[in-house]
Amino acid sequence: MAIGRGDGLVDIHHHLLPGLDDGPRDWGQALELAREAVRAGIRTVVATPHVRPGQPGQPTRAAVVEMVDELRSRLASEGIELEVLAGAEVYPVPDLPRWLAGGSGASWDLGQGSQIRYLLLDLPFDRLPPNFDRLIFEVALTGVTPIIAHPERNRQLAERPQLLIPLVEQGVVLQVTAGSLVGAFGREAQHASMWLVRRGLARVVATDAHDVVRRSPLAMREAYRYLSRHVGVAMAEHLCSRWPLEVARGEPLSAAPPMDGAAPAQARPTGVRGLARGLRAWWQRMASSF
Amino acid sequence: MDGQQYQLAAEAFRSLRTNLQYAALGSPLRILTVTAAGPDEGKSFITANLAVAMAQGGTRVLAVGADLRRPALHRAFGLDYRVGLTSVLMGRMSLEEAVRHTEPWGVDVLPSGPLPPNPAELLGSRQMAALLEEMKQRWELVLLDTPPVVALSDAALLAARSDGVLLVVTAYQTPRDVVVAARRQLEQVGARILGVVLNRVRPSESGRYHYYYYYYSRDGSSAESPRDGRWSHAERPSASLAGRATGVMADRIPGGRDA
């Protein structure tokens, strides 16, 4: 089955399944959330309940798939046109690489049976875990591409989003939350998320929807409009539709489109001075990654 | 790049191959490190094309993406970098599982693999030394594509374990003192610098080039603005490698197979 129809918005981070986490409590609330997603222009949702590997009482992949099946039939009987896929938002415990390699986690990827798979990683809200770059490397060695969920809502990263540059160079995909872009989580999160978008570091916008009040899927539509206005329609479509669709399909991400309102390309100095400047900038990037 | 320029480029790589064979006379050349003084000098392009020229000369070649900072070698061959050298070094898979044979070129390629937070540590490890030994047993020539030598220790670490080093320098651009610093760093670790490849030489001057003057460009405009012709910027530079360049190299290099 082909995933996504190529039109409409795609939401790869959405707590749509009832009773598994702090998302909807019952099927009624879940359906309400689904209707709201459709109203926001979303066509495809990856349902991503919180999973903390190694903890007792966590939802299993089988349970999530089963609930997604049930949700699909409920959506069909309600006439709600929303495609739903099974995923997870995984907490980056130190044991994560072993959990992934052990097979229990390998099926938690967001992709559907293709070569490049993605794993949505939650972050603590205050600081990056120690040795996080090491953890990312070990996760990548298991064959999945890590996606970092809402880095702009991490206090340390909101203050210093440049800390993410070495991680992106390591191959990590950054997901910013729609609400952050439109200011729902404060100025700092908004600044940080727009900084990540303008620098071309963020590749995916998602709702992280939990309910229809505080963290509603409608933020996706607002974010799409906001991005169209500030960085251009092409970039908005890539962030809200094309790239997340590629993630959901397990495909590599396509190249970035031109961005409106980006800092004007400065004439690059050439010759000895240009090279010296390039070397210096490059060395600073390197030094900051140690 | 028009046909004539392709021929120039192919000719350049062919004589680079020959010069290397002369430079290595007297002592075996099994592991060759390709590095540059600074960033963006086109060393992955040089590595890939040298590998192709060597393979078409009948040598069994392994090209290794040992640049764990900004890997580019995989792109030249249209490969994914996510499985490769680091996967082997970290014991996730064996060398034969990770090596890809690129059919049109006859080159075996080991891409970088996932990028580690500590490249120098990994490249200087005992596992890496053992892996280089294993590669030496199984290929006649191992080409290592490495990060720039100035400011990073990665290339020097590998150069010390290689039989020789090629230093890539951008014509008219790399400052003399940067090249001197690069040479000093390589000599400090006892590396044997076999030669310097001068990249992006203007075609107008290529008429009077001698051994170490090579020209390349993707679109013929690189001489005036280094970024335009920057080969690594192409979506899939392999297309140019696969298409015309290989055609030139395979068909028009005299004695290609039995050189």
Side-chain angles (χ1 to χ4, degrees):
Chain A
M1 185 194 67
I3 295 167
R5 296 193 310 227
D7 60 345
L9 308 181
V10 177
D11 190 6
I12 63 151
H13 184 175
H14 195 128
H15 299 265
L16 183 57
L17 298 176
L20 291 180
D21 54 16
D22 52 346
R25 276 195 292 277
D26 52 42
W27 286 110
Q29 288 187 355
L31 289 173
E32 202 183 338
L33 203 50
R35 276 197 199 90
E36 202 80 330
V38 172
R39 227 168 281 147
I42 296 168
R43 291 283 168 275
T44 303
V45 166
V46 182
T48 52
H50 289 288
V51 171
R52 195 178 265 269
Q55 294 273 308
Q58 295 295 301
T60 63
R61 171 75 179 176
V64 172
V65 168
E66 197 176 307
M67 287 188 85
V68 165
D69 282 343
E70 175 162 4
L71 179 59
R72 281 178 184 154
S73 62
R74 284 174 185 263
L75 289 171
S77 64
E78 296 277 328
I80 303 170
E81 281 194 41
L82 185 68
E83 180 181 27
V84 183
L85 307 167
E89 182 183 12
V90 176
Y91 197 82
V93 295
D95 238 11
L96 181 61
R98 207 139 37 96
W99 186 73
L100 288 170
S104 55
S107 53
W108 278 113
D109 56 291
L110 292 175
Q112 307 282 311
S114 51
Q115 286 180 330
I116 297 175
R117 301 163 306 156
Y118 296 86
L119 186 78
L120 185 65
L121 290 180
D122 200 359
L123 275 187
F125 279 105
D126 49 353
R127 300 184 65 79
L128 272 183
N131 292 324
F132 193 63
D133 50 0
R134 177 87 201 178
L135 185 76
I136 290 294
F137 174 50
E138 301 246 349
V139 168
L141 281 172
T142 68
V144 301
T145 301
I147 303 175
I148 295 184
H150 43 64
E152 80 282 1
R153 301 195 59 202
N154 174 285
R155 198 173 306 148
Q156 185 189 15
L157 295 176
E159 274 170 31
R160 299 177 59 200
Q162 63 271 24
L163 289 174
L164 290 158
I165 293 174
L167 291 174
V168 172
E169 285 176 349
Q170 252 181 282
V172 160
V173 175
L174 300 183
Q175 174 255 307
V176 295
T177 293
S180 301
L181 290 167
V182 295
F185 301 110
R187 285 184 71 81
E188 202 166 46
Q190 186 177 25
H191 276 173
S193 55
M194 277 310 283
W195 188 87
L196 293 171
V197 166
R198 285 193 197 282
R199 288 296 182 104
L201 296 169
R203 303 298 286 273
V204 172
V205 173
T207 64
D208 190 15
H210 283 68
D211 53 58
V212 293
V213 185
R214 215 176 79 76
R215 286 188 271 181
S216 157
L218 283 180
M220 193 74 174
R221 191 172 62 188
E222 294 166 36
Y224 179 78
R225 287 182 183 154
Y226 184 86
L227 289 169
S228 302
R229 222 169 30 241
H230 287 89
V231 292
V233 174
M235 190 45 123
E237 285 197 5
H238 273 72
L239 286 163
C240 302
S241 178
R242 182 162 182 168
W243 284 328
L245 185 61
E246 286 166 348
V247 167
R249 287 174 172 165
E251 295 169 352
L253 300 186
S254 48
M259 191 173 341
D260 291 359
Q266 290 185 351
R268 287 170 60 87
T270 51
V272 171
R273 192 165 300 168
L275 185 91
R277 195 174 299 180
L279 261 177
R280 202 154 49 230
W282 173 82
W283 164 240
Q284 278 162 1
R285 265 207 317 278
M286 285 300 144
S288 69
S289 70
F290 287 137
Chain B
M1 201 190 284
D2 62 29
Q4 195 200 350
Q5 288 170 334
Y6 261 102
Q7 283 190 43
L8 264 178
E11 167 66 24
F13 282 110
R14 191 165 55 93
S15 39
L16 176 58
R17 177 182 68 183
T18 309
N19 287 330
L20 270 176
Q21 283 157 354
Y22 279 114
L25 275 182
S27 59
L29 178 61
R30 303 297 298 277
I31 301 184
L32 177 64
T33 291
V34 182
T35 189
D40 302 335
E41 307 217 46
K43 66 195 156 40
S44 299
F45 169 86
I46 301 285
T47 311
N49 277 279
L50 179 59
V52 170
M54 285 289 190
Q56 278 160 3
T59 308
R60 280 186 297 115
V61 183
L62 176 69
V64 180
D67 183 344
L68 304 181
R69 315 265 175 177
R70 287 168 64 186
L73 183 73
H74 62 281
R75 269 186 248 140
F77 294 100
L79 297 171
D80 187 356
Y81 76 92
R82 289 179 180 79
V83 171
L85 177 61
T86 57
S87 322
V88 179
L89 286 176
M90 298 297 289
R92 296 304 191 277
M93 59 181 66
S94 67
L95 189 54
E96 37 302 291
E97 285 174 298
V99 167
R100 252 67 64 78
H101 184 72
T102 59
E103 205 34 81
W105 305 292
V107 176
D108 290 328
V109 181
L110 181 64
S112 66
L115 306 185
N118 52 348
E121 197 182 306
L122 214 51
L123 294 174
S125 66
R126 261 185 301 131
Q127 287 90 325
M128 185 68 194
L131 189 60
L132 286 174
E133 274 309 308
E134 191 184 343
M135 289 171 176
K136 230 165 36 174
Q137 304 299 319
R138 297 176 40 190
W139 283 272
E140 290 170 296
L141 179 68
V142 180
L143 291 175
L144 304 177
D145 181 39
T146 64
V149 67
V150 175
L152 286 171
S153 58
D154 306 22
L157 279 168
L158 292 173
R161 290 171 170 180
S162 305
D163 303 317
V165 181
L166 270 189
L167 187 63
V168 179
V169 170
T170 307
Y172 327 112
Q173 193 182 318
T174 314
R176 178 183 299 265
D177 49 349
V178 173
V179 180
V180 171
R183 195 186 71 181
R184 197 179 315 123
Q185 264 190 301
L186 289 170
E187 283 171 352
Q188 262 169 14
V189 297
R192 174 176 164 220
I193 302 178
L194 291 174
V196 172
V197 177
L198 196 59
N199 199 5
R200 296 179 185 134
V201 173
R202 287 190 189 112
S204 57
E205 295 178 26
S206 57
R208 51 185 169 85
Y209 73 38
H210 57 95
Y211 284 154
Y212 293 113
Y213 284 72
Y214 300 102
Y215 169 73
Y216 94 90
S217 165
R218 195 161 60 84
D219 55 11
S221 67
S222 70
E224 283 71 39
S225 69
R227 279 191 87 79
D228 290 347
R230 220 182 90 187
W231 187 75
S232 57
H233 268 215
E235 266 289 283
R236 277 190 56 184
S238 59
S240 65
L241 242 175
R244 296 193 283 175
T246 311
V248 171
M249 289 181 181
D251 305 340
R252 300 193 203 165
I253 293 175
R257 272 282 153 213
D258 48 44

